[in-house]
Amino acid sequence: YETGEQKVAFSIKKNIDAAVAIVKPMLDSMDVKLYIDMQDETAVGYERAFCRAITNILLLSRDSFASDGVESKRIAIIGKKHGDVYRITIEDNSNIKDIDILQDDVFSVHRNSSRFGVGLGLFVSKLVIEQNMGGIVKAEASEVGMLFSIELKI
């Protein structure tokens, strides 16, 4: 997949902060609280595509809150270095338990419903991070909602 970008060294934290800034007004309007705990590290890859990937995941969380009636909405973004890998987890408490939505199907090019209309964006995000940046992207149901994890070599 061609991103139209050159690979560059970029700050992971700066790009997650940029993605949060894009969606924060929408999250604030829905009373979604953000918890962010990030160590800053440098990754090499497609900076804008990485920022879009984080934005797409946050938009999926936002959309899941719009339909499930959770009162104390929250999203936690954690980023930590583990050896030569940087692991980012994004977890919400949306009560989404539909495993069909959260398996690899959520990243399918054909997945795009009115409920979570970011299917193509998630497909491209996974493609760029895994094929072009050598990372790993996963989605699963957690005890409280959705859990996305991204691993990047640093």
Side-chain angles (χ1 to χ4, degrees), residues 22-23 25-30 32 55-68 73 75 92 94 115-118 146:
I22 291 168
V23 299
M26 292 174 261
L27 298 176
D28 287 347
S29 73
M30 297 173 67
V32 177
T55 302
N56 284 328
I57 292 169
L58 292 172
L59 288 172
L60 181 63
S61 286
R62 178 212 56 192
D63 291 348
S64 68
F65 285 129
S67 63
D68 77 359
K73 303 170 187 122
I75 299 172
D92 68 34
S94 63
R115 183 174 181 199
F116 295 112
V118 293
M146 292 190 291

Side-chain angles (χ1 to χ4, degrees), residues 26 28 34 46 61 70 72 75 79 103 119 127 135 141 143 149-150:
M26 292 174 261
D28 287 347
L34 282 170
Y46 301 99
S61 286
V70 171
S72 290
I75 299 172
Q103 296 303 326
L127 193 68
E143 291 182 19
S149 63
I150 300 171

Side-chain angles (χ1 to χ4, degrees), residues 4-124:
E5 294 182 67
Q6 297 292 323
K7 280 189 175 183
V8 297
F10 64 89
S11 162
I12 296 170
K13 183 177 184 324
K14 176 183 161 200
N15 278 274
I16 289 177
D17 288 345
V20 166
I22 291 168
V23 299
K24 188 156 178 22
M26 292 174 261
L27 298 176
D28 287 347
S29 73
M30 297 173 67
D31 294 322
V32 177
K33 303 296 183 219
L34 282 170
Y35 170 78
I36 302 172
D37 182 12
M38 301 286 305
Q39 296 174 340
D40 198 13
E41 290 291 337
T42 300
V44 175
Y46 301 99
E47 184 174 20
R48 289 190 315 253
F50 175 75
C51 184
R52 281 191 300 270
I54 300 300
T55 302
N56 284 328
I57 292 169
L58 292 172
L59 288 172
L60 181 63
S61 286
R62 178 212 56 192
D63 291 348
S64 68
F65 285 129
S67 63
D68 77 359
V70 171
E71 290 185 27
S72 290
K73 303 170 187 122
R74 69 169 174 75
I75 299 172
I77 305 171
I78 312 290
K80 303 265 187 246
K81 180 179 177 181
H82 301 277
D84 65 346
V85 172
Y86 190 88
R87 185 165 194 251
I88 303 155
T89 57
I90 301 172
E91 183 177 29
D92 68 34
N93 67 332
S94 63
N95 285 326
I96 295 295
K97 300 295 182 194
D98 186 346
I99 293 300
D100 176 55
I101 290 171
L102 295 175
Q103 296 303 326
D104 282 338
D105 179 59
V106 74
F107 299 108
S108 169
V109 70
H110 303 292
R111 173 58 129 183
N112 194 2
S113 67
S114 60
R115 183 174 181 199
F116 295 112
V118 293
L120 185 60
L122 289 173
F123 169 77
V124 172

